[in-house]
């Protein structure tokens, strides 16, 4: 999720799909945001990622022995980086997402 003042990447765990439909996904999830660092992201040259100019986003899903163990989101702009490691995510929570990812869970991006 993002706007020109904040960028947030959140993992959400869902119950198993029935007929390719997920009936429940947790609303809170495990999030990492640029709001925790005052000069990370925003409009203007005082920010490491200046949202008045284009920037790249890369998200990596890390795994150990086939089990999701982390997520890393990197924002890049003209040699500058902001990295969100999701180190606050509980390992058991991440592991529960492994099955859904293996069966093709989709990535959703929103702009707000």
């Amino acid at each position: 999720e993002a706007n020109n003042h904040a960028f947030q990447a959140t993992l959400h765990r869902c119950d198993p799909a029935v007929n390719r439909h997920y009936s429940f996904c947790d609303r809170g999830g495990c999030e990492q945001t640029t709001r925790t660092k005052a000069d990370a992201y925003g409009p203007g040259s005082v920010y490491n990622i200046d949202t008045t100019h284009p920037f790249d986003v890369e998200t990596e899903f890390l795994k150990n022995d086939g089990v999701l163990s982390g997520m890393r989101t990197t924002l890049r702009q003209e040699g500058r980086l902001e990295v969100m490691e999701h180190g606050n995510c509980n390992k058991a929570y991440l592991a529960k997402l492994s099955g859904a990812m293996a069966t093709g869970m989709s990535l959703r991006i929103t702009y707000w």
Side-chain angles (χ1 to χ4, degrees):
E1 301 171 298
N3 62 29
N4 62 345
H5 294 279
F7 188 103
Q8 179 172 303
T10 308
L11 289 158
H12 294 279
R13 186 190 60 77
C14 299
D15 287 345
V18 176
N19 295 325
R20 298 179 20 178
H21 174 75
Y22 292 96
S23 60
F24 174 79
C25 295
D26 69 27
R27 294 189 53 82
C30 182
E31 56 92 10
Q32 186 83 42
T33 180
T34 59
R35 291 179 286 187
T36 59
K37 186 176 170 189
D39 63 347
Y41 179 96
S45 61
V46 297
Y47 295 97
N48 193 34
I49 301 297
D50 177 357
T51 59
T52 64
H53 297 284
F55 60 94
D56 296 316
V57 179
E58 177 183 353
T59 299
E60 300 170 82
F61 297 95
L62 312 172
K63 62 182 180 175
N64 287 326
D65 296 324
V67 176
L68 183 68
S69 61
M71 183 171 101
R72 179 184 306 123
T73 302
T74 304
L75 310 178
R76 287 188 179 83
Q77 185 179 60
E78 299 174 355
R80 297 180 307 276
L81 299 175
E82 283 297 330
V83 180
M84 295 178 278
E85 293 281 354
H86 288 78
N88 62 328
C89 296
N90 178 289
K91 297 296 182 195
Y93 183 89
L94 293 172
K96 288 179 182 178
L97 291 165
S98 298
M101 292 190 76
T103 59
M105 179 181 8
S106 65
L107 175 64
R108 180 176 169 197
I109 300 172
T110 60
Y111 182 78
W112 39 264

